[in-house]
């Protein structure tokens, strides 16, 4: 299974914000986008999604910026990735045209089982744990490529 680009960006954004918690002021979406080397428009869309999930708090104005919420710091990675990826099928059995084997094939259920195992394997971990030393300071020390 491969994560979508959006989930990859969301995890990088969340990790950066978790590491930045100890280093005020709160970064802006543009600063985070630059730090994790993604286009600003992609980062803005992802920040909006993370905010809707309650993982990121956004503040406007002079003292504004982004902050990882308490939920974001302690939430299960399995839960977060499942929310970002969705529970859709790994394969497109019902795509157009549909797979001619879809009525008798066992692959779909096996892949669903593997997908659930993937999420379960991530469940014990949190974003907060991902940035424990030495990763957090290294993450903040990275500078964007020119």
């Amino acid at each position: 299974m491969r994560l979508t680009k959006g989930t990859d960006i969301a995890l990088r954004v969340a990790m950066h914000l978790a590491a930045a918690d100890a280093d005020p002021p709160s970064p802006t979406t543009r600063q985070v986008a630059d730090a994790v080397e993604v286009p600003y428009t992609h980062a803005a869309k992802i920040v909006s999604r993370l905010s809707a999930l309650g993982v990121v708090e956004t503040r406007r104005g002079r003292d504004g910026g982004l902050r990882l919420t308490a939920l974001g710091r302690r939430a299960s990675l399995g839960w977060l990735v499942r929310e970002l990826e969705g529970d859709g099928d790994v394969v497109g059995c019902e795509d157009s045209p549909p797979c001619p084997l879809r009525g008798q094939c066992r692959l779909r259920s096996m892949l669903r089982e593997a997908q659930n195992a993937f999420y379960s394997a991530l469940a014990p971990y949190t974003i907060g744990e991902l940035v424990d030393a030495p990763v957090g300071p290294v993450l903040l020390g990275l500078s964007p490529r020119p």
Side-chain angles (χ1 to χ4, degrees), residues 17-71:
L17 292 176
D21 269 354
D23 189 26
S26 299
T28 65
T29 302
R30 186 164 306 282
Q31 289 168 329
V32 172
D34 290 345
V36 299
E37 297 185 3
V38 298
Y40 169 76
T41 54
H42 288 49
K45 182 177 175 182
I46 295 302
V47 164
S48 176
R49 177 81 171 113
L50 291 172
S51 179
L53 289 171
V55 173
V56 170
E57 177 186 322
T58 61
R59 292 172 302 201
R60 294 184 178 270
R62 186 171 173 213
D63 295 324
L66 306 175
R67 189 177 70 77
L68 196 66
T69 64
L71 168 67

